[in-house]
Structure formats: C-alpha cells, structure tokens
Amino acid sequence: PGADDRRVLEAVRGFASLPVDVRLAPDFAGFALAEAQLLSTEGLPLIKVSERPIRDWGKLLKELLDRFGGSMLLLFLAPLFVLVAVAIKLDSPGPVFFRQRRNGFNHRTFMMWKFRSMTHGADVPHGPYRQATRSDPRVTRVGKFLRRSSIDELPQLINVVRGEMSLVGPRPHPIALDNQYMTLIDQYASRHAVLPGITGWAQVNGYRGETDTNSKMAGRIAHDLHYIRNWSFSLDFWILALTIIRGFVHKNAY
C-alpha cells in the first residue's frame, strides 16, 4: 500500500542497485523525490523514480562501440601482448595471465583477465583478500612496471569483446571488496546498474589504487554514480580522451 512510506522507500532503495525502471502509483500524499517525474500509463498516474541509466539505442550503440573498439585494440596491441608475455615468463614462474572473479552488470559474476604482476600463488582464491600496497613484496620486478603503467589491465579488452565489460564504466572490484563496502557506503550497489569499465570517471579524476580508507572508496563511488546518472556518448569519449592525454601512469598505480 502506498500509505506505508517505510516499505515503499525500502523497495525504491532496493531497486536502486538494479538496471530497471521504477514507477510508483501515487495513491498517498506527501511522497516526493527530487528527481521524480509525473507520468501516465493507461490513465494511471505514476511517479518516475528512476530508470535504467543506459537504455534503448544508447545501450546498443555503446555495445557496438565496445565490441568494435575492443576488437581493433586487441589486434593493434597483439605485438605488445607477446612482449609482455615473454617478459613475465622470464621474470618469474607461473602463468602469463591472472584471472579473478568480479561482480559486473546486474551483479553477475565474471572472470576478469589481467597480466600477472605478482608471484604465482600470492593471491589465494579462498583466503582473505589483500589489496596491493606500495612496495608490496608480492609484486614481481616486471609486475611493478606493468602496474605502474597500467599495462596489466589491457587483457580486460578480452572481457570487453565478450560483453562482460565496457571500455568506459565503473571499475569492477574484487568480490570481497564489494561485500565489504556494500553495507558501508550508501548506493554502493548502484554501480552494478551498468557494465564495469577498463577506465572510468573516477580513474581519470585520480581515484585509483589502494582504497585503505572509507573516504577514498566513498570518493570513487561518488564519481561512479555521477557517471551513471549523467551518461552520454560525449562523456564516454571525454573519459577515453582524458585517459589517453593523461596517460595510464599514475602515482596511485602500484
């Protein structure tokens, strides 16, 4: 019932983390939201509370850009991939690639690809999660260069071509980190309403690397939510341009 404000608000907040449209039939007084709009469906007045951030033609065109752009970048960067693979194998024993489950669009898990930058076995799949820190002893010699230059992230183009990630979007966090901050930061789960990205609005604004305090993560999430609420092709191209202009190297990438 609309008069049960508490249950209505709980439902609205719950749906905020999903890529769905939310409509309310206003059969009660006093319910108002800053971004709400009045609509009418079959004569029934509805309040538009929220809607999928990337939808219809925008969703299709963004997906085409990701698939085509990701494929071209993979072909162009193939020689670099070979050089990096050789360097990793010569530097330390273990596989070339590191794969880890992450939460993506609509909370679906996927296997994210990276070049291995730590000693093999340093990240125990079922052990406690440890963020990489400055001068982390687990990072190999080649890994230091790969992480500082962000080259270790390039294999995520495979995820882009497979439709699991986008060129631009909120960075996917390890599942353990997601679980940790889901209840600590308001609207944290809303970042799963779009595909995660290789680069994003938070990253080009300096929110990279270790999030050892709640304020650092809160700043990253605020930028992710700004991107989701204000998404446009021009914003995507601006973020890609800033990523290229400012380079992949950053003081917080270690």
Side-chain angles (χ1 to χ4, degrees):
D4 193 341
D5 291 7
R6 182 184 60 81
R7 289 178 62 194
V8 171
L9 290 173
E10 285 179 355
V12 169
R13 288 169 181 154
F15 280 114
S17 66
L18 301 173
V20 296
D21 300 331
V22 178
R23 305 284 186 265
L24 295 176
D27 60 343
F28 58 96
F31 188 93
L33 294 174
E35 299 179 3
Q37 296 181 26
L38 289 176
L39 302 172
S40 177
T41 300
E42 297 295 329
L44 176 67
L46 298 174
I47 296 177
K48 183 172 76 172
V49 178
S50 64
E51 63 182 5
R52 290 164 288 169
I54 305 176
R55 55 191 294 149
D56 305 329
W57 283 104
K59 182 178 183 297
L60 175 62
L61 294 175
K62 183 175 173 64
E63 183 175 347
L64 289 174
L65 173 64
D66 286 336
R67 299 294 179 98
F68 178 77
S71 299
M72 292 299 100
L73 284 171
L74 276 176
L75 290 173
F76 178 75
L77 294 171
L80 176 62
F81 274 48
V82 173
L83 292 175
V84 172
V86 171
I88 292 173
K89 295 299 286 186
L90 292 176
D91 183 49
S92 63
V96 170
F97 295 106
F98 169 75
R99 300 190 304 161
Q100 187 180 60
R101 288 203 172 277
R102 302 285 173 103
N103 285 325
F105 172 71
N106 204 13
H107 304 270
R108 297 171 188 155
T109 60
F110 68 99
M111 196 69 75
M112 192 184 78
W113 290 65
K114 299 178 71 172
F115 281 123
R116 181 174 61 83
S117 60
M118 293 186 176
T119 54
H120 183 46
D123 187 26
V124 181
H126 302 292
Y129 173 72
R130 293 169 55 196
Q131 292 192 59
T133 58
R134 197 178 298 275
S135 302
D136 196 314
R138 297 174 296 168
V139 179
T140 64
R141 291 173 300 175
V142 170
K144 289 179 182 178
F145 170 75
L146 296 179
R147 297 175 74 92
R148 195 163 282 280
S149 61
S150 297
I151 291 176
D152 65 318
E153 308 285 0
L154 291 179
Q156 287 157 44
L157 289 168
I158 298 172
N159 296 116
V160 172
V161 174
R162 293 177 58 176
E164 298 162 334
M165 291 181 64
S166 175
L167 293 175
V168 180
R171 286 291 300 156
H173 296 152
I175 293 177
L177 213 59
D178 265 351
N179 294 337
Q180 176 184 345
Y181 284 103
M182 198 78 73
T183 57
L184 294 178
I185 298 179
D186 189 37
Q187 300 185 63
Y188 179 94
S190 298
R191 63 201 310 274
H192 296 299
V194 299
L195 282 172
I198 295 180
T199 185
W201 185 238
Q203 283 64 48
V204 297
N205 281 281
Y207 286 92
R208 297 186 55 184
E210 184 183 10
T211 50
D212 52 345
T213 65
N214 285 350
S215 60
K216 287 183 181 180
M217 181 61 82
R220 178 182 293 186
I221 300 309
H223 282 74
D224 288 341
L225 295 178
H226 173 86
Y227 169 80
I228 292 171
R229 292 165 179 160
N230 298 278
W231 177 84
S232 66
F233 271 111
S234 59
L235 180 57
D236 269 9
F237 284 122
W238 178 239
I239 291 172
L240 288 172
L242 288 176
T243 301
I244 295 171
I245 293 171
R246 296 177 182 178
F248 291 93
V249 180
H250 192 273
K251 64 179 181 179
N252 291 336
Y254 47 80

